[in-house]
Amino acid sequence: MSLLTLGCARNEVDSEELAGRLGEGGWELVDEGADVVVVNTCGFVEQAKKDSVDTLLAASDTGAKVVAVGCMAERYGKELADSLPEAAAVLGFDQYNDLAERLQDVLHGKPVESHVPVDRRTLLPITPVKRQEAKEGVQVPGHGWGPTKVQRKRLDDAPVAPLKIASGCDRRCSFCAIPSFRGAFVSRHPDEIVSEAMWLAENGVKELFLVSENSTSYGKDLPRDQGALEQLLPRLASIPGIERVRVSYLQPAETKPSLVAAIAKTDKVANYFDMSFQHSSENVLRRMRRFGDTDSFLKLVWQIREHAPEAGIRSNFIVGFPGETEEDLRELERFLTEARLDAVGIFGYSDEDGTEAEELDGKLDADVIAERVQRIGNLVEELTSQRAEDRVGTEVTVLIETEEDDESDCVGRAEHQAPEVDGECIVLDAENLKRGDFVRCRVVDSEGVDLVVEVIGT
């Protein structure tokens, strides 16, 4: 059996939990020649769906029996199965408990019933205090799928690993379908998170990358004495072997001053703020069913940099949302120019099945959206390059991820750079450095958002 993973870091955690569960069920994971290929799909945006379908088709071309799991399988279920006969089975989250048995059925040609999607927000009580009471009776990906904790199996030996702290989302952004197939927000118990973090440290992990659909909500559904993210971070940072803890996906409207201070001041917690701004025009944000505006977002940026002047701040933005005007776009340009973020993703709006935004008026033509993406993208490229240039002459602590050899440079990441999305550090004269090393470096040059650094100590 082989396991292919698409999508975000949350999916990576799900795949490692699936690998652990399948291993306990007698399945052996192989890279080539698999009888069964499990594809952990992504269903977030149109391109991700296409990539998932392409991966499923390519897997079927090998002659293996193909099973679709993950977000796209959960979201579309039987509809996907009917349109993709190449997949032997399309399984949802609730079928993960007996996945090993279902794969045996697939292997031996027995029919497997396709998943029938439901709105997963209806599977848990609406009141947060009731959710933990219901958790044991509901399958929640990333929470052991029930009362027994799933044994996680690492699928690589990278010195950084994602660690899921919660699953689901209670926000109702008009453009987003995630809550409908990921469900309502549920925090993991802090002791469970710490236990898994210790296991990761014992297995060679140096940096923990905390992931969820909304990290700022962590703890809201737990008893008050079990705490929030501010209390969890010091526990994780104190684990032997862990040198860096990184938080992802913070909602600006929910980011309290105490959380900003905890991230900025807690030893071994990266001064890194992954803020989900999405836009800065109040008009567009209201249509997105979000809160804030340019000035309130700038105030948050200044608050972060008051605590940690060199902090990394990144975000994604949707351009061309229904009803977006030229004035709205100029407001976004004002925010980006003044905020000087370290890394920015720009996405053109597209309809998502079953979302409120799909029915909104004021839709823009595709060529207008493309022009605006190009316009904002050019601005972002200039601004983020300038931000990287400003770091020349400063000191950074770099986690080495790729060792130097005859064909490639030594590459790592500084505190303000998250895995894969925020640029990297090219380390000069690094023949003695090993993967997993943390080294102090001085920035001597920049290339776009990437930094060129030289080692000054360990």
Side-chain angles (χ1 to χ4, degrees), residues 411-422:
V411 175
R413 289 180 298 101
E415 201 170 345
H416 68 282
Q417 296 169 321
E420 300 181 2
V421 295
D422 296 336

Side-chain angles (χ1 to χ4, degrees), residues 162-198:
L163 175 59
K164 191 177 292 188
I165 63 172
S167 187
C169 184
D170 288 339
R171 300 183 70 89
R172 295 295 179 264
C173 301
S174 63
F175 57 84
C176 184
I178 288 176
S180 67
F181 58 86
R182 275 290 183 179
F185 185 89
V186 182
S187 301
R188 293 180 72 187
H189 192 285
D191 292 346
E192 182 183 341
I193 296 171
V194 171
S195 177
E196 185 171 325
M198 293 174 67

Side-chain angles (χ1 to χ4, degrees), residues 278-294:
Q278 302 298 347
H279 211 283
S280 74
S281 163
E282 185 174 12
N283 169 58
V284 175
L285 288 166
R286 292 300 176 270
R287 289 174 67 85
M288 290 180 169
R289 292 201 179 279
R290 296 174 67 87
F291 302 96
D293 55 31
T294 296

Side-chain angles (χ1 to χ4, degrees), residues 141-416:
H143 295 270
W145 297 298
T148 302
K149 182 180 182 296
V150 174
Q151 174 62 57
R152 179 174 173 177
K153 176 182 175 61
R154 294 215 68 200
L155 297 177
D156 60 35
D157 61 353
V160 58
L163 175 59
K164 191 177 292 188
I165 63 172
S167 187
C169 184
D170 288 339
R171 300 183 70 89
R172 295 295 179 264
C173 301
S174 63
F175 57 84
C176 184
I178 288 176
S180 67
F181 58 86
R182 275 290 183 179
F185 185 89
V186 182
S187 301
R188 293 180 72 187
H189 192 285
D191 292 346
E192 182 183 341
I193 296 171
V194 171
S195 177
E196 185 171 325
M198 293 174 67
W199 179 83
L200 289 169
E202 291 166 359
N203 283 272
V205 171
K206 301 292 185 69
E207 178 178 321
L208 300 173
F209 187 31
L210 307 188
V211 298
S212 72
E213 277 74 27
N214 178 7
S215 296
T216 38
S217 283
Y218 178 75
K220 74 175 187 179
D221 52 339
L222 297 173
R224 184 166 299 182
D225 61 351
Q226 292 179 6
L229 195 54
E230 293 94 315
Q231 291 163 282
L232 176 63
L233 291 175
R235 294 184 63 186
L236 295 173
S238 67
I239 293 173
I242 296 301
E243 297 297 329
R244 180 184 286 165
V245 179
R246 184 182 303 277
V247 182
S248 72
Y249 216 76
L250 303 172
Q251 289 289 344
E254 299 177 25
T255 302
K256 300 177 293 186
S258 60
L259 179 57
V260 172
I263 293 174
K265 302 300 182 183
T266 303
D267 186 39
K268 294 189 177 180
V269 174
N271 282 324
Y272 175 81
F273 294 81
D274 177 14
M275 308 301 307
S276 176
F277 289 120
Q278 302 298 347
H279 211 283
S280 74
S281 163
E282 185 174 12
N283 169 58
V284 175
L285 288 166
R286 292 300 176 270
R287 289 174 67 85
M288 290 180 169
R289 292 201 179 279
R290 296 174 67 87
F291 302 96
D293 55 31
T294 296
D295 292 332
S296 65
F297 288 170
L298 287 173
K299 183 178 179 180
L300 177 57
V301 169
W302 307 148
Q303 182 185 73
I304 290 170
R305 292 200 170 127
E306 183 178 356
H307 282 287
E310 300 300 324
I313 307 176
R314 69 116 41 226
S315 191
N316 293 325
F317 297 86
I318 298 173
V319 175
F321 194 79
E324 181 189 66
T325 65
E326 178 64 28
E327 183 180 354
D328 295 325
L329 203 65
R330 287 197 297 270
E331 190 70 359
L332 176 57
E333 289 173 326
R334 179 169 79 89
F335 171 72
L336 291 168
T337 302
E338 295 186 32
R340 297 180 63 80
L341 306 179
D342 292 86
V344 177
I346 301 297
F347 299 89
Y349 171 81
S350 61
D351 287 336
E352 273 295 299
D353 296 341
T355 61
E356 180 184 348
E358 190 179 22
E359 305 301 325
L360 288 177
D361 58 10
K363 296 287 180 61
L364 302 180
D365 291 340
D367 58 344
V368 173
I369 295 175
E371 186 276 328
R372 291 185 178 186
V373 168
Q374 184 68 44
R375 170 178 160 184
I376 299 299
N378 290 341
L379 174 63
V380 161
E381 183 176 358
E382 178 183 356
L383 293 171
T384 54
S385 295
Q386 291 174 1
R387 177 69 174 162
E389 289 175 10
D390 290 343
R391 293 186 183 274
V392 174
T394 66
E395 292 185 13
V396 293
T397 300
V398 176
L399 169 60
I400 303 301
E401 294 186 316
T402 303
E403 297 176 17
E404 184 180 67
D405 59 29
D406 293 338
E407 298 180 356
S408 59
D409 295 319
C410 177
V411 175
R413 289 180 298 101
E415 201 170 345
H416 68 282

